[in-house]
Amino acid sequence: MLNRRTITLNVNGEAHELEVEPRHLLADALREGLGLTGTHIGCEHGVCGACTILLDGESIRSCLLLAVQAEGHEITTVEGLGDSNHLNFLQQKFREHHALQCGFCTPGMLMTATELLNQRTSLTERDIRDALSGNLCRCTGYDHIIAAISEAIAETSGAGP
Amino acid sequence: MTFEVMRPKYVGARVQRKEDPRLLSGSGRYAADVQPTRALHVAILRSDYAHALIRSINLDLARAMPGVIDVIDGEALASELKPLYATSRMPGYKPTALWPLARDRVRYVGEPVVAVVATDRYLAEDARAAIQIEYAALPAVTDANLSLTAQSDFLHPEHGSNLLVSRNFSRGNIEQAISEAFRVVSGQYRFTRTTPVAIEPRAYTAEWDRRLARLTLHSATQAPGIIRDALAEVLELNGPSIRVLAADVGGGFGGKVSLYPEEVIVCFLAQKLTRSVKYVSDRQEDLISTTQAFDQTVKAEMALDSSGRILGIRASILGDAGAYSIYPWTAALEPMQIAGFLPGPYQVPSYEADVQVVATNKTPSGPYRGVGRPGACFILERLIDKAAKEFGIDPLEFRRKNLVQPDQFPYKTGSGIVWDKSGFIECLDLAAEVIDYTTLKDNRDAAKAAGRWFGIGIASYAELTGLGSRMSAAPGMPINTGTESASVEIDATGSVIATFGTASIGQGLETTLAQIVADEIGVRPEDVTIVHGDSAAITHSTGSYASRSTVLAGGAAHKAGKEVREKLLKAAGFLMDCELLELEIEDGVVRQPATNKVLSFKDIGRAVYSEMGRFPLALRQELDLRATSFYDPEFGTTTSATHIATVDIDPETFEVRVLRYVAAEDCGRVINPQIVEGQVQGGVAQGIGVALMEEVIHDPQGQIFTASLVDYLVPSAAEVPSIEAVHLEAFAAGTIGGYRGMGEGGTIGAPAAVANAIADALSHLNIDITELPATPERLFRLVTTANQEKA
Ligand code: FES
Ligand code: FES
């Protein structure tokens, strides 16, 4: 059980060495091992989406992946977007539209939305609602989140909102 | 002193939130994010019996597991600390002993029994699996009616029954109203059990300060002040030995406003082991051990005269408290609020309500956004719609006729609540106008004629917010919920700092309070540092719940801000050698327009604190740039609203889709329109969850079937419609600043509006919606039965 091993995780462009047990979740390794507590854990069973990160650009749930499985991949967490003094474009849209209240779901929402934004296709409100249906927010009622993402997508994909 | 800010610059503006940059960049600090050095981790072994005696507990194997530092059970704790009781002055109320770990007996599935402390969470959970407990099962009671009539196997045998609360309210002559009524409409309504589901599960990190030998509890709580006071009591500590911090909290909704066993456990262990100790619940633990909501059965009848005016309402309310009467709110909170708010915003001359609350072998219930009022509104609005239908009057007109009229304020309701002037009728009209009710009705009729199950639902309600000291948030409760303080100061660097006892749980309090202070003093909101969520920063506070923070803390902020401004002007006037009236303050600069002389706050701060010689001796004695004020609104103020929803039901799958949703609300003066809109939308989304999908389900043995988010459904973006929130600021509230609380309203109106829309969509089958959530399964049964009866 105390079968620990050293792995290297590439997170936000930096390589980190850390010691984990094979059973350690990636979410735990990021939070406890690397101190990257921006990735939140809301359910540990793949439903709430709070732990969403990008693995090689694709959104995944870090509570459903073991840390050892992430070796050799490029991980992006919310800390890899803009910092509090330099919010990136999407983070700014969230702020302008008041798309967060308690902020607990927000890192997961941002990562899912980053993936949508990177696809550079125009999406209807319905598409965005469906794409976000795996990210639960208990505070906002979603309207402002949808508005922030719609506007971000519209402004980057060149299509109208 | 009046509290109209001369030229409000920031109150009323869409100021971007101060808390956003940190929360958007993953730099928030929630309780689980705190990582003290060498922290130990706790795993809790919980009861998997709903009701059983604990025969024996064997911790030996667990103690020997790798990484384990300590393992404690209820007996180990009992010798070291006192149980807590949620007391109440309410006659006949029976409190229950609250031990952090069960002693002798377990009373619900999920009740903490043993705590394991190890060097990491994984190891703590390994050791938990090695604990051996022998239980002797007792009959579980999970039905409130059966609990009421039970003759033996009581949950708390010392009380000799399961009845914890029994109360009666009455006003006017309800017997006469009913016997002389032209019509009586009635029903038996069931508001099933739900759970708050903040996306942040409960988490507590007790940080041990070796140097000062004292504790800081980082808690996912809405009420750091209440928790600090309770922990000081249970652990027998003086105030400075324990500090409760709630820096960022990932949503509360009432689920984080009570004292939890785990808070006591981590603090106890940290003290005992002189190490930091952390507990983070997982979602399953959160779903079975966070206080749950509602769970009442209400029989209600409404008497009406021949013109369709309400003569009276009579109700009997049976509340299911779950296993314990929680601290500090007691088991009485939710059912008593139903009784209190059942007359609603209508003219109800006679009223009687009978309240009984029983213990059952379920998770303790506690406050949830809206507390009692979502249930009260659902029952009342169903009765209103049924009555309107009987009289053949349009539901909107029926409400207009029966609502408290503008010339009737202040209006004392049958339960004794007094409504101050609020836009009852105005909200009704505004909602109707925004949704274009007349056209909507035509559309509905056309849709129904074409065979669609399409319906419109209206719900009007009123609530008391910002309760002062003369209206306790929970009846008979021993804590003071009626005041909040604000301390505002300008320090030696000229910076403005405002300190509050309330906690920010997502409602943007740092921003709205900064807006108020900014206007009072004459700085920009971004230049006001808000300190909150820290029990050590204030003398006394309770926290954020019951839509009180903006009204109470905001009022105190106005008072303290104004006082500091006066002090600032006095100092500036002396330094600039001019009359106070000649001075203006804007964006952190004091100016004398006639001479164009200016002094920055920095200059004034330096002068006051570091260059005191510039002031005459007499002035020096009294000159500081700070003030602390308390605010007690005494009674509170009325927030009112009308919600209108439209739904479409799929006749194949029985899925309900909410198509449009309009909420028109009188929440007094709006500090930040975007934040208000967000509160309404979030509240409505939760109310839609209550109406359509959320339900905690127990089997008869008390096992919870809904212990994951796959089984307990909360609305996602795909199920929630766009919610149109409109505000009416017609009447100034009597509170300082004119604010009314508005954090809960959305959740109050939505279950009723959606239920009424569903009933309207199924009106051709004459179906009454008496039980929520209206899941496809329930609707299928209702429709099948109705069709059989028709045939
Ligand atoms: S924590 Fe991973 S999906 Fe909820
Ligand atoms: S902002 Fe609180 S859960 Fe989304």
Side-chain angles (χ1 to χ4, degrees):
Chain A
M1 172 197 326
L2 289 178
N3 145 30
R4 299 179 83 91
R5 61 172 79 181
T6 303
I7 60 167
T8 304
L9 290 182
N10 297 316
V11 187
N12 304 328
E14 250 183 77
H16 300 266
E17 266 196 9
L18 74 165
E19 206 185 81
V20 295
E21 287 179 45
R23 62 176 175 168
H24 283 177
L25 301 179
L26 177 57
D28 287 337
L30 291 170
R31 291 177 49 82
E32 307 279 324
L34 302 182
L36 295 171
T37 53
T39 298
H40 296 157
I41 299 178
C43 72
E44 278 180 287
H45 54 257
V47 182
C48 74
C51 68
T52 306
I53 57 162
L54 299 184
L55 192 77
D56 302 326
E58 262 180 56
S59 66
I60 60 127
R61 282 150 203 249
S62 60
C63 73
L64 294 184
L65 206 70
L66 298 171
V68 291
Q69 292 175 290
E71 260 206 303
H73 296 277
E74 284 300 327
I75 295 168
T76 313
T77 68
V78 68
E79 288 91 347
L81 309 180
D83 66 37
S84 53
N85 290 323
H86 313 89
L87 297 180
N88 77 9
F89 172 69
L90 182 66
Q91 288 165 314
Q92 274 171 27
K93 289 288 172 213
F94 267 58
R95 189 174 190 205
E96 280 162 25
H97 286 272
H98 182 33
L100 65 154
Q101 291 183 24
C102 79
F104 201 80
C105 70
T106 309
M109 291 283 178
L110 286 168
M111 300 321 285
T112 302
T114 299
E115 186 186 32
L116 289 181
L117 216 56
N118 289 343
Q119 290 166 355
R120 300 201 170 273
T121 46
S122 68
L123 297 171
T124 64
E125 184 194 320
R126 189 75 244 162
D127 296 335
I128 298 174
R129 283 189 182 269
D130 288 339
L132 279 192
S133 64
N135 288 78
L136 297 177
C137 174
R138 195 62 160 161
C139 299
T140 61
Y142 303 104
D143 267 348
H144 290 171
I145 299 177
I146 308 292
I149 299 176
S150 298
E151 195 173 283
I153 291 179
E155 286 178 21
T156 48
S157 71
Chain B
M1 164 148 73
T2 85
F3 288 96
E4 265 319 292
V5 176
M6 298 316 279
R7 277 175 304 159
K9 188 167 170 186
Y10 298 109
V11 167
R14 286 166 64 115
V15 171
Q16 294 201 347
R17 296 204 321 169
K18 290 168 70 70
E19 39 279 85
D20 285 356
R22 69 169 186 269
L23 300 181
L24 282 164
S25 58
S27 321
R29 200 181 66 209
Y30 301 89
D33 297 342
V34 182
Q35 301 182 332
T37 41
R38 296 177 64 240
L40 300 172
H41 297 258
V42 170
I44 307 274
L45 178 67
R46 296 172 185 277
S47 170
D48 30 41
Y49 283 84
H51 201 188
L53 296 176
I54 301 174
R55 278 269 170 72
S56 67
I57 299 183
N58 186 339
L59 305 175
D60 297 345
L61 283 177
R63 287 211 165 96
M65 298 279 286
V68 172
I69 305 290
D70 200 359
V71 187
I72 55 167
D73 62 12
E75 288 313 310
L77 273 188
S79 55
E80 312 252 3
L81 45 81
K82 306 193 281 186
L84 199 63
Y85 290 90
T87 56
S88 169
R89 291 184 301 271
M90 196 190 308
Y93 158 74
K94 305 215 183 67
T96 62
L98 301 170
W99 289 100
L101 293 169
R103 294 182 66 202
D104 309 327
R105 178 193 288 255
V106 289
R107 297 179 175 87
Y108 66 94
V109 171
E111 178 165 4
V113 182
V114 177
V116 183
V117 197
T119 49
D120 83 34
R121 174 70 187 245
Y122 287 79
L123 296 176
E125 290 188 18
D126 290 342
R128 177 175 66 185
I131 295 167
Q132 296 157 312
I133 302 188
E134 203 187 315
Y135 290 106
L138 292 169
V141 46
T142 53
D143 178 295
N145 277 300
L146 295 178
S147 173
L148 191 60
T149 54
Q151 298 300 319
S152 60
D153 297 312
F154 304 122
L155 271 84
H156 303 277
E158 67 276 19
H159 294 326
S161 92
N162 286 328
L163 187 64
L164 300 178
V165 178
S166 175
R167 293 282 281 161
N168 184 277
F169 289 87
S170 82
R171 183 182 158 91
N173 190 338
I174 188 68
E175 284 302 334
Q176 193 184 349
I178 288 178
S179 63
E180 290 175 4
F182 177 74
R183 282 275 156 75
V184 175
V185 290
S186 63
Q188 174 166 319
Y189 296 92
R190 173 109 181 86
F191 215 51
T192 54
R193 190 169 264 254
T194 65
T195 179
V197 192
I199 303 299
E200 176 202 26
R202 292 189 296 110
Y204 310 106
T205 304
E207 193 171 358
W208 179 252
D209 181 334
R210 285 161 57 91
R211 178 173 159 264
L212 296 171
R214 65 185 192 190
L215 279 172
T216 297
L217 176 67
H218 302 268
S219 175
T221 186
Q222 298 169 237
I226 291 178
I227 302 306
R228 195 276 307 262
D229 294 357
L231 287 171
E233 166 93 19
V234 177
L235 300 168
E236 299 185 74
L237 296 171
N238 62 13
S241 304
I242 176 148
R243 172 182 185 193
V244 178
L245 266 180
D248 290 307
V249 178
F253 318 118
K256 293 175 180 165
V257 75
S258 306
L259 179 75
Y260 280 95
E262 298 88 349
E263 289 176 296
V264 181
I265 291 168
V266 292
C267 289
F268 171 81
L269 288 168
Q271 248 198 326
K272 177 181 175 198
L273 303 169
T274 62
R275 295 266 298 264
S276 297
V277 175
K278 179 167 178 173
Y279 167 76
V280 180
S281 75
D282 64 24
R283 181 54 62 186
Q284 183 187 348
E285 291 182 288
D286 202 73
L287 284 167
I288 64 177
S289 69
T290 293
T291 57
Q292 298 179 345
F294 310 144
D295 207 350
Q296 297 96 17
T297 305
V298 178
K299 289 193 190 109
E301 49 195 338
M302 176 186 278
L304 299 120
D305 72 10
S306 58
S307 69
R309 282 189 177 281
I310 301 170
L311 296 171
I313 294 175
R314 179 160 67 187
S316 79
I317 300 158
L318 177 60
D320 180 334
Y324 295 96
S325 180
I326 54 146
Y327 187 88
W329 311 103
T330 81
L333 175 68
E334 169 88 16
M336 290 287 282
Q337 291 266 47
I338 294 202
F341 288 89
L342 197 53
Y346 301 101
Q347 307 164 53
V348 179
S350 305
Y351 179 62
E352 184 175 333
D354 196 51
V355 182
Q356 290 185 301
V357 185
V358 291
T360 62
N361 293 110
K362 299 188 209 165
T363 306
S365 69
Y368 175 57
R369 200 173 194 174
V371 188
R373 290 158 293 189
C377 181
F378 164 62
I379 296 155
L380 177 62
E381 292 299 285
R382 283 301 304 134
L383 290 175
I384 292 275
D385 264 21
K386 280 171 82 164
K389 197 171 173 184
E390 289 242 347
F391 283 85
I393 304 177
D394 176 86
L396 195 82
E397 287 316 310
F398 190 87
R399 285 177 172 79
R400 189 195 311 283
K401 179 181 176 122
N402 278 291
L403 281 168
V404 174
Q405 304 294 306
D407 58 356
Q408 290 178 308
F409 294 106
Y411 183 87
K412 187 166 187 176
T413 69
S415 60
I417 290 167
V418 179
W419 301 132
D420 62 338
K421 195 168 176 73
S422 178
F424 290 14
I425 300 233
E426 293 78 357
C427 285
L428 184 82
D429 288 338
L430 183 60
E433 182 192 315
V434 170
I435 207 158
D436 190 359
Y437 186 66
T438 319
T439 313
L440 190 63
K441 280 202 307 181
D442 293 343
N443 295 346
R444 182 225 15 228
D445 296 343
K448 291 205 79 162
R452 267 173 73 192
W453 293 358
F454 178 91
I456 308 170
I458 307 175
S460 297
Y461 65 84
E463 56 167 333
L464 269 188
T465 61
L467 299 177
S469 59
R470 295 176 68 173
M471 278 304 290
S472 179
M477 206 175 54
I479 63 171
N480 164 30
T481 58
T483 58
E484 273 302 328
S485 67
S487 295
V488 176
E489 64 179 87
I490 297 173
D491 72 6
T493 69
S495 306
V496 179
I497 301 146
T499 306
F500 299 89
T502 51
S504 192
I505 45 179
Q507 76 286 52
L509 218 47
E510 273 173 64
T511 307
T512 44
L513 292 174
Q515 288 177 257
I516 293 174
V517 173
D519 272 344
E520 281 294 354
I521 296 198
V523 283
R524 300 174 308 166
E526 54 266 48
D527 298 328
V528 179
T529 300
I530 300 287
V531 178
H532 67 99
D534 180 354
S535 73
I538 36 101
T539 315
H540 168 265
S541 162
T542 55
S544 295
Y545 51 87
S547 302
R548 69 192 290 276
S549 292
T550 304
V551 180
L552 273 71
H558 275 292
K559 285 170 85 172
K562 185 167 273 332
E563 215 179 301
V564 169
R565 180 192 178 93
E566 279 162 14
K567 289 184 169 184
L568 184 82
L569 284 174
K570 194 166 180 186
F574 184 84
L575 293 169
M576 295 163 92
D577 192 19
C578 61
E579 292 294 320
L580 302 194
L581 287 177
E582 296 170 16
L583 295 176
E584 280 175 8
I585 311 183
E586 203 179 357
D587 293 348
V589 174
V590 183
R591 178 187 318 274
Q592 187 185 18
T595 61
N596 229 355
K597 268 199 245 171
V598 293
L599 266 185
S600 68
F601 280 22
K602 199 169 168 181
D603 300 330
I604 301 169
R606 189 186 314 120
V608 167
Y609 297 108
S610 310
E611 302 164 355
M612 297 184 90
R614 295 174 67 183
F615 298 96
L617 196 57
L619 197 55
R620 270 185 244 167
Q621 302 296 338
E622 59 180 75
L623 206 58
D624 63 11
L625 301 174
R626 57 178 189 210
T628 295
S629 297
F630 284 81
Y631 178 46
D632 175 355
E634 281 194 63
F635 287 101
T637 178
T638 306
T639 297
S640 59
T642 291
H643 293 195
I644 303 183
T646 66
V647 303
D648 208 3
I649 304 172
D650 183 329
E652 302 276 310
T653 63
F654 294 85
E655 185 197 358
V656 178
R657 280 209 86 89
V658 182
L659 302 177
R660 271 198 81 183
Y661 203 104
V662 170
E665 192 167 49
D666 175 7
C667 62
R669 187 170 185 196
V670 169
I671 301 173
N672 187 322
Q674 228 177 3
I675 288 180
V676 169
E677 184 174 69
Q679 285 290 314
V680 175
Q681 290 172 337
V684 168
Q686 286 186 357
I688 290 175
V690 169
L692 298 180
M693 59 187 86
E694 295 187 34
E695 182 177 8
V696 174
I697 300 173
H698 290 84
D699 77 358
Q701 280 72 49
Q703 294 295 334
I704 294 201
F705 284 163
T706 47
S708 81
L709 289 179
V710 181
D711 304 300
Y712 187 89
L713 299 181
V714 300
S716 81
E719 288 100 26
V720 178
S722 172
I723 295 153
E724 296 163 68
V726 279
H727 314 296
L728 188 96
E729 289 182 81
F731 313 108
T735 53
I736 293 179
Y739 311 124
R740 304 181 196 270
M742 51 75 50
E744 301 173 277
T747 314
I748 298 172
V754 173
N756 280 345
I758 294 171
D760 186 45
L762 300 174
S763 61
H764 55 288
L765 294 168
N766 226 349
I767 281 174
D768 189 5
I769 300 296
T770 59
E771 193 173 62
L772 294 179
T775 55
E777 184 185 332
R778 280 202 177 94
L779 291 179
F780 169 75
R781 289 196 185 160
L782 286 171
V783 170
T784 312
T785 315
N787 280 331
Q788 279 163 358
E789 277 167 14
K790 240 178 156 182

